[in-house]
Amino acid sequence: MAFAAFTSIGRINFLRLPLYPAATTTAPSPSSLFLRPIRLFSQLSAAMVMDGSTISKVADEFPSGIDPTTEEEYAEQSKLLQEFTKIPNIDRAWTFKSDSGDPMATFSISQASLLANKRRKYTLSAHISKGNDGNSVNFTWTPFPIEMIGVSTIVPSPSGSKFLTVRNPENDSPVQLEIWSAGQIEKEFHIPQSIHGSIYTDGWFEGISWNSNETYIAYVAEEPSPSKPTFTFSGYQKGCSANKDSTNWKGQGDFKEDWGEAYAGKRQPALFVINIDSGEVRHVKIVEKSLSVGQVIWAPSIGEDQYLVFVGWSSEPRKLGMIYCYNRPCALYAVKAPDYGSEINERKLTDEPKEDFPLYNLTQSISSAFFPRFSPDGKFLIFLSAHSSVNSGAHSATNSLHRINWPRDGKPSFSENIVDVVPVVHYAENELFPGLYSHGFLSNPWLSDGHTVITTSIWRSKDAILSIDILSGEVSCISPANSNFSWKVLALDGDNVVAVSSSPVDIPQLKYGCLTEKETKNAAWSWLDVSSPVFKCSQKVKTLLSSLQFSIMKIPVKDVSNCLTKGASEPFEAIFVSSKSVKGNELNPLIVNLHGGPHSTSISSFSKSLAFLSSIGFNLLVVNYRGSLGFGEEALQSLPGKIGTQDVNDVLTALDHIIDKGLASSSKVAVLGGSHGGFLTTHLIGQAPDRFVAAAARNPVCNLALMVGTSDIPDWCYVECYGKEGKNHYTEAPSAEHLTHLYNKSPILHVSKVKTPTIFLLGAKDLRVPFSNGLQYARALREKGVEVKVIMFPDDVHPIDRPQSDFESFLNIGVWFRKYCK
């Protein structure tokens, strides 16, 4: 689906760590000072959540938490992990022309702040100059970044001369919109909660779009709060009162479904337009109430009329979890923009009759359509589709790309002539294009020819940059074909590409791709290194990473007789990270790392947490078992209905493969996974109890019969356990037969055989795999005397990715594995 040290056998102690050694005579180190609040916080939160222990009880047991050797391990590893945590991420980038006409790039960067427990955001810009020979490029960077304090997102205007800054409040304060030009802030608007709530900046419902003449902005925000009943000392107060004082209080009103994980408490996404000149905001109420809207863009003009195109998701019969789930039916809609015409600046934003603005469903003949983009000449509208995911029920699958013609003159006449540009690839031979696995586009993804799109897509075990001709359907991989690195496009600079490249053992590096021989059929790309101040790391981290290597291995399927399709019988892949040198005949202990989903992929990009584990002495086997994205639809669809068997066998086959090659010792293997990766982790230690000396599970799926009644995606349980028939079996009231089948597919079926020491990392606010799943399994292990450690993060959701939580998770995983893999 996405994702205590023991003093006696059969007893869980919840991270009882001393603050620092009582006998110390020197000032504590920064790392031990940092660990102090984390340890105490974890002790209290875990104790209160897990078994209701009082603070005094924790304090009484506190000194016996761990031995001094283990504490030294915490102190040493925490220093190194902080070095990895400091490495920033580039979230997005834009290019535009400077006043002098030279190209510039602005990068939106985030960096974890452990003390603040949030990701700090800032921007950094550079002038781009290319050598006359085309073989060199220089980025002249501004001296210092600009921190975007309180900023939710920034969106440049089409000309690049302005940008919009969105500041969402953390309470009931107004949303702030700011229009900036090169030298100053031009406009500032405070939009009260009575108009709308926070603007969506989540990357999915998110849609913020300037019109072409930069006078209007359309965006998606939470609809206003519904009226709630008011009560006073004398009972119910008639009418709706907006005022709240000491003599009354607001009731809760009717329960409203939300879109689950990551959207808890978020109100329905709705469509709004702001007039930049007047600051007036229009709620486009013509949108059907059952639709949640997102990804809005302005369409090219049709005569004097202007239209908005957006994605709509129906909430009927009810909302299910949205994030990571592309199997939610959706369509593209077009609606006439309010008050847009020749007299636009003289007219006021007022409600207009619904019949004046008919709603057009542009994609009725296909079950999924999202991320619309218009071609530069306005003739075509392209979009991605996850219809293979919607139709099969798999939460993610192979995508397709489509286009429709856009009317330009006279009365609009929207046809449903949808052209397949890139169809779903079911099976790819000989390392050919495995299918489209892209879940978004740049705001401007077009080359200058007006019909070539640049995007990033998963290509087996790596990310690759693709060019797609929307007229011919031709797909080309433009990132280096002989590279096992992962490549991601950040922005286009004319016919050049600003990208980032990395590997499991190489921190990200900015790249600049130049299109050469573009007039020929076989266009070529040249990739240049960009010197950048963004991705800096300590000399210690550089030295550790330079001692590592990685490869992508082909793993033959062990038993092809059970494969119903050709794609299911093809080899899957695993990424192997190891030390370049081996001391004598002593092999490093191995961590088998397993992604969630199950329909996702571990790509060959840089991961700070996995690089940390590699740097403290572990080799990694990162398995992309059958069912992963990037290998064609037949291989992916081979897994639903076979979870707990096929995926488990693939992992064991990959493990046997590297042991047989002499690359790992069978006596020093640990296993790590989150979400469905945690499902596999707990299955493996039950089905193969003698093969793993330690395990770590992050928000694991352990009991599907329990999860189906508590998760935001109960349909996932049915599809993955029954296969395509799961869509027909799915019900809100599972039968006893269904619950038995779900239980028999679950790791808890094998819990009696487990003997592997296991650490559990659980998010108390996880709606995808509620923490009761992992906690029940941990208690079952404790009951039978298995060594267990549980850390509960009271404010974390499914990914456990808040900076302090992520840090504490992998610090404890590292210490746990070092303890049992000696």
Side-chain angles (χ1 to χ4, degrees), residues 40-71:
L40 184 55
F41 182 67
S42 300
Q43 295 156 18
L44 298 182
S45 62
M48 289 187 286
V49 173
M50 297 284 290
D51 59 7
S53 301
T54 62
I55 293 176
S56 60
K57 180 179 178 182
V58 174
D60 290 340
E61 296 182 353
F62 181 78
S64 63
I66 60 171
D67 58 80
T69 302
T70 305
E71 186 177 50

Side-chain angles (χ1 to χ4, degrees), residues 46 105 109 161 226 238 284 300 333 344 377 390 404 408 466 591 599 647 667 689 750 776 790 802:
I109 303 166
S161 62
K238 293 183 179 179
V284 188
Y333 295 87
I344 187 169
D377 60 10
V390 173
I404 56 179
R408 297 303 306 272
L466 307 181
I591 298 174
H599 310 301
D647 44 5
S667 63
H750 306 282
Q776 181 194 42
V790 176
R802 294 180 349 128

Side-chain angles (χ1 to χ4, degrees), residues 181-196:
S181 62
Q184 63 182 1
I185 184 171
E186 291 191 351
K187 300 275 187 176
E188 185 174 2
F189 310 109
H190 289 206
I191 304 170
Q193 295 284 321
S194 59
I195 302 296
H196 64 66

Side-chain angles (χ1 to χ4, degrees), residues 56-94:
S56 60
K57 180 179 178 182
V58 174
D60 290 340
E61 296 182 353
F62 181 78
S64 63
I66 60 171
D67 58 80
T69 302
T70 305
E71 186 177 50
E72 282 300 314
E73 188 88 13
Y74 271 95
E76 179 184 347
Q77 289 194 26
S78 68
K79 292 177 184 177
L80 179 60
L81 183 53
Q82 285 183 70
E83 295 294 330
F84 281 98
T85 303
K86 291 176 186 175
I87 300 172
N89 295 331
I90 293 181
D91 301 322
R92 59 180 70 181
W94 306 270

Side-chain angles (χ1 to χ4, degrees), residues 663-683:
L663 299 174
S665 168
S666 61
S667 63
K668 294 187 294 184
V669 181
V671 60
L672 161 65
S675 193
H676 187 83
F679 170 88
L680 288 174
T681 295
T682 47
H683 252 306

Side-chain angles (χ1 to χ4, degrees), residues 164-192:
L164 168 72
T165 295
V166 176
R167 299 181 188 271
N168 283 325
E170 295 182 357
N171 46 38
D172 291 333
S173 301
V175 174
Q176 297 179 38
L177 300 182
E178 301 163 357
I179 307 297
W180 290 81
S181 62
Q184 63 182 1
I185 184 171
E186 291 191 351
K187 300 275 187 176
E188 185 174 2
F189 310 109
H190 289 206
I191 304 170

Side-chain angles (χ1 to χ4, degrees), residues 409-531:
D409 300 311
K411 187 176 179 62
S413 176
F414 297 101
S415 67
E416 285 195 47
N417 184 22
I418 298 176
V419 178
D420 296 340
V421 177
V422 180
V424 171
V425 174
H426 292 275
Y427 171 71
E429 294 185 85
N430 302 324
E431 301 295 311
L432 298 177
F433 174 58
L436 189 60
Y437 300 92
S438 175
H439 292 117
F441 286 126
L442 300 175
S443 57
N444 177 20
W446 302 94
L447 295 184
S448 62
D449 62 12
H451 57 81
T452 301
V453 171
I454 303 297
T455 190
T456 303
S457 180
I458 301 170
W459 190 301
R460 297 183 173 84
S461 293
K462 61 184 181 182
D463 265 346
I465 301 176
L466 307 181
S467 73
I468 304 173
D469 188 320
I470 67 161
L471 299 180
S472 68
E474 182 181 353
V475 180
S476 301
C477 178
I478 67 171
S479 49
N482 58 353
S483 170
N484 279 335
F485 283 44
S486 278
W487 293 68
K488 177 183 178 182
V489 60
L490 295 174
L492 300 187
D493 175 25
D495 283 337
N496 304 310
V497 176
V498 180
V500 65
S501 170
S502 70
S503 85
V505 300
D506 296 272
I507 64 171
Q509 167 73 46
L510 279 179
K511 301 285 186 177
Y512 192 80
C514 301
L515 176 59
T516 60
E517 303 175 26
K518 55 183 172 183
E519 302 302 327
T520 66
K521 184 176 181 180
N522 298 317
W525 288 81
S526 172
W527 290 96
L528 307 174
D529 292 336
V530 175
S531 178

Side-chain angles (χ1 to χ4, degrees), residues 722-790:
Y722 282 98
K724 288 184 179 180
E725 287 302 310
K727 287 185 65 179
N728 301 325
H729 290 307
Y730 168 58
T731 171
E732 297 285 354
S735 65
E737 179 184 356
H738 288 172
L739 293 174
T740 299
H741 183 72
L742 295 177
Y743 184 90
N744 289 336
K745 288 282 188 178
S746 302
I748 202 164
L749 179 70
H750 306 282
V751 71
S752 63
K753 297 178 284 185
V754 177
K755 49 192 176 184
T756 304
T758 306
I759 180 173
F760 292 85
L761 300 311
L762 307 176
K765 293 185 177 179
D766 186 354
L767 300 180
R768 183 60 41 95
V769 186
F771 73 86
S772 55
N773 237 260
L775 185 55
Q776 181 194 42
Y777 191 91
R779 284 172 169 164
L781 293 185
R782 176 185 60 181
E783 183 179 62
K784 67 182 296 293
V786 177
E787 196 159 355
V788 172
K789 176 175 179 174
V790 176

